[in-house]
Amino acid sequence: MYIVCMDMEGIITPEIWIEFSEAVGIPELALTTRDEPDYDKLMKHRMDLLNANGYGLKEIQEVISKMDPLPGARAFLDDLRSFAQVVVLSDTFTQFAMPLMEKLGWPTLFCNKLTVDNEGKISGYVMRTQGSTKLSAVKALQSTGFKTIAVGDSFNDLAMIRASQAGFLFRSTEAIKKDNPDIPAVETYEDLMKGIKTILG
Amino acid sequence: MYIVCMDMEGIITPEIWIEFSEAVGIPELALTTRDEPDYDKLMKHRMDLLNANGYGLKEIQEVISKMDPLPGARAFLDDLRSFAQVVVLSDTFTQFAMPLMEKLGWPTLFCNKLTVDNEGKISGYVMRTQGSTKLSAVKALQSTGFKTIAVGDSFNDLAMIRASQAGFLFRSTEAIKKDNPDIPAVETYEDLMKGIKTILG
């Protein structure tokens, strides 16, 4: 039995930090895991920038509330969930993701949590596990008898893809695709669906 | 971070075998895990009865297609999924469960698979794991950083409830409730929701 493990940002939703960066005009906030492989370094940099500019959780949530899933993502997921089990594995935070999950029909999401201080500033974050939460989730699902098909676009998706029985790079960077020529790379939901269906048989 | 692990039959859907038993008039097919703790013994008995009476997967699926989730289950799950992560853990089979999952808005389901021969007879079944698939799933989710809240009604739910940080018996038998007085027992979705919200804080 297979379960499909989908990364969230860049795969079924926009990159939240890029959208927020554009909304508030702070280009440095547009860096993502596709640019910076060290997640803790990336998050500390983001929090420093937010605090220096006086932005808290509320301002980010306002931007997120206006965001939509990527065009075609809802239809893709609806179709996929009608014949396969799916979980969304993301290093985002519940406080960011839930409005987007609603627009996607509430797929199950394994992610992390922000800590917010009394003034509404993002004071830190709690990762669900040490090390890669996505790799941990894939291993957990395998430990309970599933084969996994992992779909991602970033550095932090490579471990879960490589640990899975099958995997795809979806709209990844040229650098990541070049460094991982053995992982099938697709650019459209149609091709991704075809690939998944081939594996499910 | 918590994830809610819901048993399916008796919790959010009717007992499929009971419904089928009534539809075809074979009372012995109405036995469930609440009556017979040995699942393999139960399944072999079911398959013998089906084959002896000439019923295959198609006939069972026809009955299932007319079934609805339990009254209130969809609203309960919709509400729960708007603020918590949920997986349905069941020893049912994908071939039975998917039409009911559709009516429940496609919650993620961890279950098992039937094997069906060329004539459409149920020839066997494949459990996702050895031993309790539900306990295995709860342990897997915990291994990737979740605390679990387990909800069930039967013998085969006790292990996942006892291994979880919190758990509830929902519309269980008097015998199971009497033997497990330390597990909170609730009879309505309203009380179950209250209990879950108390744990989530």
Side-chain angles (χ1 to χ4, degrees):
Chain A
M1 293 192 64
Y2 277 97
I3 189 163
V4 182
C5 300
M6 306 278 299
D7 177 34
M8 188 185 89
E9 292 175 83
I11 309 296
I12 51 176
T13 74
E15 294 280 353
I16 290 170
W17 292 99
I18 292 177
E19 298 278 314
F20 184 71
S21 156
E22 286 170 7
V24 296
I26 306 175
E28 268 191 279
L29 276 174
L31 294 179
T32 74
T33 51
R34 296 196 298 186
D35 311 294
E36 171 52 66
D38 183 333
Y39 193 71
D40 193 58
K41 200 171 151 189
L42 181 65
M43 275 303 298
K44 287 205 169 111
H45 185 60
R46 286 166 173 171
M47 287 190 285
D48 286 345
L49 284 168
L50 291 174
N51 293 336
N53 288 276
Y55 291 118
L57 179 60
K58 194 181 150 214
E59 289 77 19
I60 304 179
Q61 286 181 323
E62 276 171 10
V63 173
I64 293 171
S65 71
K66 288 168 203 149
M67 284 170 60
D68 283 313
L70 293 179
R74 173 71 194 251
F76 169 81
L77 273 183
D78 283 352
D79 185 11
L80 185 61
R81 290 164 76 195
S82 75
F83 62 87
Q85 297 307 314
V86 179
V87 286
V88 179
L89 305 186
S90 173
D91 277 332
T92 189
F93 308 99
T94 49
Q95 291 97 330
F96 288 179
M98 291 300 261
L100 286 160
M101 291 302 103
E102 181 174 16
K103 291 176 184 173
L104 288 166
W106 298 116
T108 300
L109 171 68
F110 293 5
C111 71
N112 304 299
K113 251 191 184 171
L114 289 170
T115 50
V116 181
D117 71 14
N118 289 337
E119 291 168 357
K121 277 187 190 171
I122 296 172
S123 54
Y125 64 99
V126 183
M127 301 298 275
R128 222 179 51 249
T129 61
Q130 290 193 308
S132 164
T133 60
K134 299 183 191 188
L135 177 60
S136 163
V138 155
K139 284 185 177 171
L141 292 165
Q142 290 173 348
S143 79
T144 188
F146 284 108
K147 292 179 180 177
T148 58
I149 301 172
V151 183
D153 64 347
S154 306
F155 289 112
N156 68 347
D157 299 314
L158 293 173
M160 74 163 176
I161 292 173
R162 295 219 166 271
S164 288
Q165 278 75 16
F168 298 89
L169 290 170
F170 183 75
R171 297 179 188 168
S172 190
T173 62
E174 289 309 313
I176 291 175
K177 286 191 274 189
K178 201 180 157 195
D179 287 348
N180 298 275
D182 56 319
I183 303 175
V186 292
E187 307 301 321
T188 67
Y189 291 121
E190 197 186 344
D191 285 346
L192 181 57
M193 185 62 82
K194 269 188 209 163
I196 291 171
K197 282 188 172 171
T198 302
I199 293 156
L200 295 180
Chain B
M1 292 192 63
Y2 277 97
I3 189 163
V4 183
C5 300
M6 307 277 298
D7 177 34
M8 188 185 90
E9 291 176 84
I11 309 295
I12 50 176
T13 75
E15 294 280 353
I16 290 170
W17 291 100
I18 293 178
E19 299 277 314
F20 184 71
S21 155
E22 287 169 6
V24 296
I26 306 175
E28 268 191 279
L29 275 175
L31 294 179
T32 73
T33 52
R34 296 196 299 186
D35 311 294
E36 171 52 66
D38 183 332
Y39 193 71
D40 192 58
K41 201 170 149 188
L42 181 64
M43 275 303 297
K44 288 206 169 110
H45 185 61
R46 287 166 172 170
M47 287 189 285
D48 286 346
L49 284 168
L50 290 175
N51 292 337
N53 288 276
Y55 290 117
L57 178 60
K58 192 181 151 215
E59 289 77 20
I60 304 179
Q61 286 181 324
E62 275 170 11
V63 173
I64 294 171
S65 72
K66 288 168 202 150
M67 285 170 60
D68 282 313
L70 294 179
R74 174 70 194 251
F76 169 82
L77 273 183
D78 283 352
D79 186 10
L80 185 61
R81 291 164 77 195
S82 75
F83 62 87
Q85 295 308 314
V86 179
V87 287
V88 180
L89 305 186
S90 173
D91 277 332
T92 189
F93 308 99
T94 49
Q95 290 98 329
F96 288 0
M98 290 301 260
L100 286 160
M101 291 301 104
E102 180 174 17
K103 291 176 183 174
L104 288 166
W106 298 116
T108 300
L109 170 70
F110 292 6
C111 71
N112 304 299
K113 251 191 185 173
L114 291 169
T115 51
V116 181
D117 71 15
N118 288 338
E119 291 169 358
K121 279 187 190 171
I122 296 174
S123 53
Y125 64 99
V126 183
M127 302 298 275
R128 221 178 51 247
T129 61
Q130 289 193 309
S132 165
T133 59
K134 299 183 191 190
L135 177 60
S136 162
V138 156
K139 284 185 176 172
L141 292 165
Q142 291 174 348
S143 79
T144 187
F146 285 108
K147 291 180 180 176
T148 57
I149 300 174
V151 184
D153 64 348
S154 308
F155 289 111
N156 68 347
D157 299 314
L158 293 173
M160 74 162 176
I161 292 174
R162 296 221 166 269
S164 288
Q165 278 75 17
F168 299 90
L169 290 170
F170 183 75
R171 298 179 187 166
S172 189
T173 63
E174 289 310 312
I176 291 175
K177 286 191 272 189
K178 202 180 157 194
D179 287 347
N180 298 275
D182 56 319
I183 303 175
V186 294
E187 307 301 322
T188 66
Y189 291 121
E190 197 185 344
D191 286 346
L192 180 58
M193 185 61 82
K194 269 188 208 161
I196 291 172
K197 282 189 172 169
T198 301
I199 292 155
L200 295 180

